[in-house]
Amino acid sequence: MFSYIEGLQAEMRVYYTLWQCGPELRILVSGEAGPAVRCTFPADMECRARNLLQYLYENAVMPSQAADVLADCCTVGQVEVLNAGC
């Protein structure tokens, strides 16, 4: 959760999720509003996916920047920007 800082940022929550969906792993970075970002990996890349999720969380990467970060880091993953609410 990000605190409200007058003139700098609104209060908001950002969610970082990793789950297995059949033969794939998916990372989802989403906020309370706006688009979410999803990156899909082959299931045998679990260690890489977990490391990326940790990086996103520890560096508080916002959904608006997550697509660029994941695209730079996911040479084998597919990065998608999803509509709000996905």
Side-chain angles (χ1 to χ4, degrees):
M1 178 159 180
F2 292 86
S3 299
Y4 171 76
I5 302 173
E6 188 174 345
L8 296 176
Q9 72 182 19
E11 180 179 314
M12 71 179 292
R13 292 178 192 262
V14 177
Y15 303 93
Y16 305 92
T17 309
L18 173 66
W19 77 96
Q20 187 159 1
C21 185
E24 300 175 331
L25 294 168
R26 293 183 179 168
I27 289 177
L28 181 70
V29 181
S30 60
E32 295 171 322
V37 176
R38 179 174 65 198
C39 187
T40 304
F41 298 87
D44 64 348
M45 296 194 67
E46 183 176 353
C47 184
R48 176 77 171 151
R50 288 182 184 275
N51 287 341
L52 279 170
L53 185 73
Q54 181 178 353
Y55 174 85
L56 294 168
Y57 174 76
E58 288 180 354
N59 290 283
V61 176
M62 303 301 271
S64 59
Q65 291 123 7
D68 291 333
V69 172
L70 288 167
D72 288 346
C73 298
C74 299
T75 56
V76 298
Q78 178 184 3
V79 178
E80 303 171 83
V81 177
L82 308 172
N83 292 328
C86 292

